[in-house]
């Protein structure tokens, strides 16, 4: 039986943060799986910078952009009736034709990619990180200008048509089955893993150089997140203002790309009088994240979107305490100080409790244990994924290609 040739799509830009780091982790595991199992992977990305980053890990990748005709196909697929025309004429998009020319058997999307709608002939694997447009439809980034409707089409087809659905939490399997009638046996749960950059061994001098570059001193609260409304920076600012009224002054470092919410955050900082306590350092390179986590007194993450997120695992990996919404306790367990993400006072109390004797040491130990638990679940998920891939290889060998 000839090797399975698996396309691995890295479609998230580096600036996306966790949406780039987790697919990178998946790719590195798939590279090892292919080498051990005698199969092949071919890596694609529309971003030249991603190709340069992959070279650092010894991974050769191919540039595959999406042309105007691909976007026409996507538009028509969203419209619905085009499916009948495509079936009648056996039309294939330029995207799919390029993959077929490369001898691809299966396409693995490492994110919830709309490009699976361009596939007429090739089977695919999809990754679904969350269903937050259903969990919190009040946020404009998942609701306005047809975004909610677009996601419903995308998630509904992806979860029911995919040969395998990769998720990061058991709760998401239940949600997808309930909302879209996904077959549970086709879902594989592979938890998030810390970024390879953050997990690297630390160098005190290098860490100090990173902090100096941003004019930071250790001991700050840290929140790495793009500036979306759902990231809930406003509650964090209100909590800091509440603490200041109690005579407690905490420094905060924010990093991430502006996704349309930065102006309101800047205005709130001025209104609360917090300008001297907050450093906004913008997007930072992945190689600098470890130093920023290690320099922090705690990761404070009030995001509304879950049920899992990557930053807590990265904080645990370097021994930094975590302050996290109680809504995501299933991920945090006892390895975080929990709070109500709709209540600034609850978050302020959580920050104060961080300074209690023995709390930091307890959280460090609990974080290491939590990481070990997730690592075991990840190994089990990878083994299950490998079995699915071998079944796909066997079944595809029975069909003409």
């Amino acid at each position: 039986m000839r090797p399975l040739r698996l396309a691995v799509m890295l479609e998230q830009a580096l600036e996306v943060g966790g949406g780039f780091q987790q697919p990178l982790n998946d790719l590195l595991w798939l590279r090892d799986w292919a080498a051990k199992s005698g199969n092949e992977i071919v890596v694609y990305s529309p971003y030249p910078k991603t190709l340069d980053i992959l070279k650092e890990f010894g991974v050769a990748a191919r540039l595959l952009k999406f042309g105007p005709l691909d976007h026409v196909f996507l538009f028509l697929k969203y419209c619905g009736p085009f499916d009948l025309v495509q079936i009648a004429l056996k039309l294939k998009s330029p995207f799919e034709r390029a993959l077929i020319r490369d001898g691809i058997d299966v396409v693995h999307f490492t994110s919830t990619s709309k490009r699976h709608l361009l596939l007429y002939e090739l089977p695919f694997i999809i990754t679904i990180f969350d269903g937050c447009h259903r969990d919190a439809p009040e946020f404009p980034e998942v609701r306005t200008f047809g975004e909610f409707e677009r996601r419903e089409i995308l998630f509904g087809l992806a979860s029911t048509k995919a040969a395998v659905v990769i998720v990061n939490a058991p709760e998401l399997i239940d949600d997808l089955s309930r909302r879209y009638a996904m077959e549970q046996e086709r879902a594989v749960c592979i938890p998030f893993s810390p970024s390879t950059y953050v997990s690297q061994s630390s160098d005190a001098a290098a860490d100090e150089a990173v902090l100096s570059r941003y004019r930071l001193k250790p001991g700050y609260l840290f929140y790495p997140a793009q500036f979306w409304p759902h990231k809930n920076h406003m509650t964090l600012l209100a909590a800091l203002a509440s603490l200041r009224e109690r005579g407690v002054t905490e420094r905060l470092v924010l990093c991430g790309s502006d996704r349309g919410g930065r102006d309101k955050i800047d205005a709130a900082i001025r209104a609360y009088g917090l300008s001297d306590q907050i450093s906004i350092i913008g997007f930072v390179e992945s190689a600098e994240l470890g130093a920023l986590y290690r320099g922090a007194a705690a990761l404070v993450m009030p995001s509304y979107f879950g049920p899992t997120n990557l930053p807590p695992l990265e904080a645990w990996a370097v021994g930094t305490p975590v302050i996290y919404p109680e809504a995501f306790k299933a991920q945090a367990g006892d390895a975080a100080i929990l709070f109500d993400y709709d209540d600034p006072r609850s978050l302020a109390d959580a920050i104060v409790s961080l300074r209690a004797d023995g709390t930091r040491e307890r959280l460090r130990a609990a974080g290491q244990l939590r990481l070990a638990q997730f690592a075991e679940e990840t190994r089990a998920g990878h083994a299950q994924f490998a079995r699915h891939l071998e079944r796909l290889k066997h079944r595809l060998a029975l069909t003409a290609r």
Side-chain angles (χ1 to χ4, degrees):
M1 188 180 300
R2 72 178 180 84
L4 183 74
R5 195 165 171 83
L6 180 71
V8 181
M9 310 300 299
L10 292 184
E11 296 184 66
Q12 298 285 352
L14 175 63
E15 292 79 7
V16 173
F20 174 84
Q21 297 298 335
Q22 191 57 37
L24 177 59
N25 288 342
D26 294 340
L27 166 62
L28 296 178
W29 176 80
L30 282 166
R31 177 188 61 183
D32 294 340
W33 164 81
K36 294 175 182 176
S37 64
N39 294 296
E40 302 172 6
I41 64 168
V42 184
V43 185
Y44 298 90
S45 174
Y47 302 107
K49 189 172 183 179
T50 297
L51 271 59
D52 293 335
I53 292 171
L54 293 179
K55 289 178 183 177
E56 300 174 14
F57 295 91
V59 176
R62 304 182 185 187
L63 189 68
L64 182 58
K65 293 181 176 290
F66 308 101
L69 190 54
D70 288 317
H71 288 287
V72 170
F73 265 71
L74 279 175
F75 174 78
L76 293 172
K77 290 288 285 188
Y78 279 124
C79 292
F82 177 66
D83 289 334
L84 299 177
V85 177
Q86 188 176 21
I87 291 169
L89 300 180
K90 296 186 178 180
L91 295 176
K92 297 186 184 70
S93 67
F95 171 70
E96 184 170 35
R97 291 201 302 269
L99 295 173
I100 291 173
R101 283 196 301 271
D102 285 347
I104 296 302
D105 299 308
V106 181
V107 184
H108 176 29
F109 294 102
T110 57
S111 59
T112 314
S113 172
K114 61 188 176 184
R115 268 81 190 192
H116 81 263
L117 297 172
L118 293 173
L119 300 180
Y120 172 85
E121 181 176 320
L122 293 174
F124 66 90
I125 297 163
I126 199 78
T127 303
I128 298 181
F129 292 129
D130 60 58
C132 291
H133 69 291
R134 285 286 198 100
D135 299 334
E138 61 271 25
F139 290 104
E141 54 266 41
V142 295
R143 175 178 50 82
T144 57
F145 299 106
E147 181 62 20
F148 184 94
E149 290 77 9
R150 186 190 71 82
R151 290 189 181 215
E152 279 296 282
I153 294 171
L154 185 63
F155 279 58
L157 285 174
S159 60
T160 54
K161 187 180 178 183
V164 183
V165 179
I166 306 296
V167 301
N168 55 72
E171 307 96 292
L172 193 50
I173 296 176
D174 294 336
D175 288 344
L176 294 172
S177 299
R178 174 170 48 84
R179 292 167 178 172
Y180 307 111
M182 181 191 74
E183 301 296 338
Q184 291 201 11
E185 61 269 19
R186 285 196 278 119
V188 175
C189 184
I190 302 176
F192 283 147
S193 301
S195 163
T196 55
Y197 292 97
V198 173
S199 301
Q200 291 171 351
S201 59
S202 61
D203 179 280
D207 284 1
E208 184 178 353
V210 171
L211 297 189
S212 297
R213 185 176 306 124
Y214 294 110
R215 300 179 181 178
L216 302 175
K217 294 182 179 180
Y220 49 81
L221 303 175
F222 184 44
Y223 186 22
Q226 299 183 75
F227 292 97
W228 292 107
H230 77 264
K231 294 297 185 179
N232 201 18
H233 292 85
M234 293 299 191
T235 294
L236 179 51
L237 298 180
L240 292 184
S242 173
L243 287 174
R244 193 165 187 168
E245 292 175 358
R246 302 187 209 176
V248 178
T249 300
E250 292 282 357
R251 290 179 294 122
L252 172 66
V253 174
L254 303 174
C255 72
S257 304
D258 183 10
R259 297 293 178 170
R262 175 70 185 273
D263 289 345
K264 290 184 178 180
I265 291 168
D266 289 340
I269 291 172
R270 292 191 297 269
Y272 283 126
L274 296 172
S275 298
D276 59 337
Q277 295 176 226
I278 298 176
S279 299
I280 301 180
I281 60 177
F283 173 77
V284 300
E285 297 293 335
S286 299
E288 297 178 331
L289 273 175
L292 293 169
Y293 276 111
R294 284 185 287 270
L299 165 73
V300 182
M301 187 169 191
S303 175
Y304 283 107
F305 283 9
T308 58
N309 289 284
L310 184 58
L313 285 88
E314 296 181 327
W316 293 330
V318 301
T320 297
V322 174
I323 301 174
Y324 201 44
E326 60 189 4
F328 307 139
K329 185 177 181 179
Q331 181 187 19
D334 61 355
I337 301 172
L338 303 177
F339 67 95
D340 180 352
Y341 50 25
D342 285 314
D343 184 356
R345 182 167 293 276
S346 173
L347 176 51
D349 291 343
I351 293 171
V352 169
S353 69
L354 174 71
R355 310 299 183 181
D357 289 344
T359 298
R360 294 176 61 84
E361 291 73 18
R362 176 184 66 80
L363 290 174
R364 284 196 187 100
Q368 289 299 310
L369 180 59
R370 201 79 182 112
L371 274 182
Q373 292 169 342
F374 281 125
E376 183 61 33
E377 292 176 17
T378 296
R379 284 190 287 271
H382 283 158
Q384 184 183 3
F385 188 21
R387 289 193 295 271
H388 275 284
L389 289 170
E390 287 300 325
R391 289 192 181 101
L392 274 173
K393 177 180 178 180
H394 176 76
R395 294 177 185 187
L396 291 175
L398 304 179
T399 63
R401 283 180 287 170

